[in-house]
Amino acid sequence: MSTSNDATEKVTSSENTARVAIIGAGIGGLTTAYTLKRAGVACDLFEASETAGGAIHSHVEDNWVCELGPNTLLDRQGVISDLIEELGLQSERVYPSSTSKNRFIVRDGQPHALPMSPAALWKTKLFSTQAKLRLFAEPFVEARIEPELDESLYNFATRRLGQEIVDYALDPFIAGTYAGRLNQLSSHYALARLKELEEESGSLFKGALFGPKKTDDSKPKRKASLINFKRGAQTLTDAMAREIGEHLHTSTPITKLTQEKESGRWKLTSKGDTALSGEYDVVLMSLPAHVIAQMDIRPADTHAATDLSAFASITHPPISLISIGFRRDQFKHPLNGFGVLIPSKEEFTHLGSLFASSIFVERAPRDHVQIVSFIGGARHPESALWSEEEQVALLLDELHTLLGLEGKPVKVLRRHWGKSIPQYEVGYEHTLSAIEAVEETLPGIIFGGNWKGGIAVPDVVKNARHFAHLIQQRVHQ
């Protein structure tokens, strides 16, 4: 969805009223702006691209519903469901098919269903008998003596679960979520809940089984669920954009923020040195870290550009998403699951594939299927830079081996990110501390994005709600 980009005409507010600007209309910026509007706080939302939504983008055409961003929204603690109810989107919501319960992991070149119960674990060929016994011994592994010291996810998980479980369970999972490497990611920040379970209960299993069952506000936890919509995830971001209305200014990339000496407010400059009318008391930068790193922010006390190198230090590997449509009879595999993930030990280049039309029905025309594959990441960054033709040729070859695919696709869509998911690497606390120190020198500016507090959509939405509450407090001070 796109709105007028004439920000200089539409930005209007009384001089006696605190003015709020949000830069970046991904789902985080949209959620903050939408929440503020519901609370009666006016704000202006600026987006560099022609449409709002950020990474979320749905392509609907000829009975194909293709996600060129997140394919599912994992609703934890009801944060997405709350938005759906507020926006009146209940009738548009779709639920995952029962056939999507299987998660396949590749071993020895073939997909195996990930066991989802102790009985299935004992029977599976995905793990050796030795690995299974080592896994059952996890509750007896001593917790680390110095839990405050950061360690890689690889070291943490190997210590608790054993090498084989790490190689054929956690490694492919991390490739499918962070597009990252276990030996680089921090156990304190990436999958932080695992580290918390060890600290709380001395064991992952004990913590999962007997840990706290309520959230911090003493409300019972709501079961996590997968969510999407009849016309794709963009339904959610489009609905919020409509609610925000004329205060959403697309095609307005903000490149510079200058603090006025007398008022202490911030002046925004768009690309081409176009100064926007008015000044802002509070500015939330809801942006990827690598975008913030390119900003020119000049506080009144120095008039010198603020050092934003802490943002630039965060790694963002390149990745390509390819949505491919086929006739159903082109596959020997039943595609009876969520998808297939590939451990780094296996000799394949792509990270994994989702069975999109098995997860949610009506994602493909009758007698057709849709596969969504990922290429690149920290594991094979060079492959993300290949041409579409090279990437499709690779996928056809690897899907032939894995799923018995024969023949050419009937539909191909690709989306490429030169800088994708931020990597919460070992020592990430130093990066976050450096960013907090920068924020303290810039009164009125708040930094936000998926580089802090979680990369998943529900984490971003939850943090966005927090920012809205924080902004309300500042406005009413």
Side-chain angles (χ1 to χ4, degrees):
M1 177 176 179
S2 179
T3 63
S4 170
N5 65 353
D6 193 351
T8 58
E9 291 185 8
K10 291 185 179 295
V11 175
T12 58
S13 180
S14 168
E15 289 298 323
N16 297 321
T17 302
R19 302 186 64 193
V20 178
I22 300 174
I23 305 175
I27 193 167
L30 285 168
T31 302
T32 303
Y34 164 72
T35 305
L36 286 173
K37 181 176 181 179
R38 280 178 56 87
V41 178
C43 69
D44 291 298
L45 176 58
F46 299 96
E47 168 59 33
S49 63
E50 295 180 356
T51 58
I56 294 177
H57 179 68
S58 307
H59 181 88
V60 183
E61 182 183 28
D62 298 332
N63 294 321
W64 294 94
V65 180
C66 304
E67 299 288 10
L68 300 180
N71 274 258
T72 60
L73 306 178
L74 178 61
D75 189 27
R76 291 198 295 265
Q77 300 180 21
V79 294
I80 306 298
S81 292
D82 288 345
L83 275 178
I84 291 173
E85 292 176 11
E86 291 173 14
L87 293 162
L89 297 175
Q90 295 94 326
S91 64
E92 297 300 312
R93 180 173 177 173
V94 293
Y95 296 85
S97 167
S98 59
T99 61
S100 66
K101 292 181 179 179
N102 289 325
R103 267 71 168 168
F104 293 98
I105 304 291
V106 175
R107 180 154 193 175
D108 299 326
Q110 297 299 316
H112 298 265
L114 185 68
M116 305 300 287
S117 68
L121 173 63
W122 193 248
K123 294 177 182 179
T124 184
K125 295 181 180 180
L126 181 59
F127 307 120
S128 68
T129 300
Q130 183 179 3
K132 297 170 188 176
L133 293 173
R134 173 64 179 81
L135 184 62
F136 285 125
E138 189 276 337
F140 305 101
V141 175
E142 291 187 7
R144 185 170 177 171
I145 298 175
E146 300 176 295
E148 71 280 358
L149 296 179
D150 201 359
E151 63 180 325
S152 70
L153 264 179
Y154 176 85
N155 287 347
F156 169 79
T158 302
R159 174 168 58 81
R160 294 228 58 89
L161 303 172
Q163 184 73 54
E164 190 175 331
I165 299 297
V166 169
D167 289 342
Y168 285 95
L170 191 58
D171 172 271
F173 173 78
I174 288 297
T177 51
Y178 275 88
R181 288 182 174 273
L182 283 173
N183 61 352
Q184 296 172 338
L185 295 174
S186 163
S187 61
H188 279 187
Y189 292 92
L191 298 187
R193 184 55 185 154
L194 293 182
K195 186 67 176 177
E196 291 171 359
L197 289 174
E198 181 186 52
E199 294 175 2
E200 293 169 359
S201 306
S203 162
L204 306 187
F205 288 168
K206 290 179 182 177
L209 290 173
F210 308 113
K213 300 299 181 183
K214 294 186 178 182
T215 56
D216 293 338
D217 59 6
S218 297
K219 293 181 181 179
K221 285 186 177 180
R222 288 192 261 181
K223 186 178 180 180
S225 60
L226 293 177
I227 291 177
N228 211 307
F229 303 87
K230 294 174 183 177
R231 295 181 64 83
Q234 192 174 325
T235 299
L236 182 63
T237 52
D238 280 354
M240 285 193 286
R242 284 193 298 271
E243 290 292 321
I244 296 164
E246 64 178 6
H247 291 282
L248 168 60
H249 313 290
T250 57
S251 300
T252 310
I254 305 301
T255 57
K256 185 177 181 179
L257 290 82
T258 307
Q259 187 180 31
E260 297 296 315
K261 189 171 185 179
E262 292 185 2
S263 66
R265 294 176 172 178
W266 292 91
K267 191 84 172 179
L268 275 55
T269 302
S270 185
K271 190 174 183 179
D273 292 328
T274 302
L276 305 186
S277 64
E279 301 169 2
Y280 292 91
D281 300 89
V282 181
V283 180
L284 168 63
M285 303 185 72
S286 183
L287 295 165
H290 62 87
V291 176
I292 296 177
Q294 300 300 316
M295 287 284 184
D296 185 350
I297 305 178
R298 296 177 180 265
D301 57 351
T302 65
H303 290 295
T306 300
D307 181 5
L308 301 174
S309 58
F311 292 99
S313 70
I314 298 175
T315 302
H316 299 76
I319 196 165
S320 291
L321 176 158
I322 302 183
S323 172
I324 317 183
F326 299 93
R327 297 189 318 277
R328 179 64 189 86
D329 60 12
Q330 290 180 255
F331 286 91
K332 294 180 181 178
H333 192 280
L335 304 180
N336 56 337
F338 191 88
V340 57
L341 292 175
I342 304 174
S344 56
K345 281 184 170 294
E346 296 291 314
E347 295 183 359
F348 294 89
T349 300
H350 88 282
L351 303 177
S353 295
L354 300 179
F355 306 159
S357 52
S358 296
I359 303 172
F360 297 108
V361 298
E362 299 182 359
R363 272 348 195 207
R366 184 182 178 88
D367 298 326
H368 288 73
V369 295
Q370 182 190 160
I371 304 293
V372 178
S373 301
F374 300 88
I375 297 178
R379 187 189 296 177
H380 299 296
E382 71 289 342
S383 64
L385 308 179
W386 295 351
S387 69
E388 180 177 311
E389 291 75 14
E390 292 172 313
Q391 291 178 340
V392 171
L394 166 79
L395 288 174
L396 294 180
D397 180 62
E398 296 194 347
L399 293 178
H400 168 75
T401 302
L402 291 171
L403 305 173
L405 170 65
E406 299 290 349
K408 303 296 183 181
V410 299
K411 188 177 186 65
V412 176
L413 292 171
R414 182 178 83 145
R415 191 177 184 188
H416 173 75
W417 290 270
K419 293 181 180 292
S420 63
I421 302 167
Q423 305 293 290
Y424 294 7
E425 296 180 339
V426 174
Y428 204 60
E429 69 272 14
H430 301 301
T431 299
L432 294 179
S433 294
I435 290 173
E436 289 174 4
V438 171
E439 192 174 58
E440 289 175 1
T441 68
L442 302 171
I445 289 183
I446 303 171
F447 293 120
N450 66 352
W451 47 267
K452 180 181 180 180
I455 63 170
V457 170
D459 295 325
V460 175
V461 169
K462 182 179 179 181
N463 291 335
R465 297 282 208 181
H466 167 74
F467 287 133
H469 179 69
L470 179 62
I471 291 170
Q472 288 180 64
Q473 291 180 321
R474 294 194 182 187
V475 165
H476 293 125
Q477 281 180 350

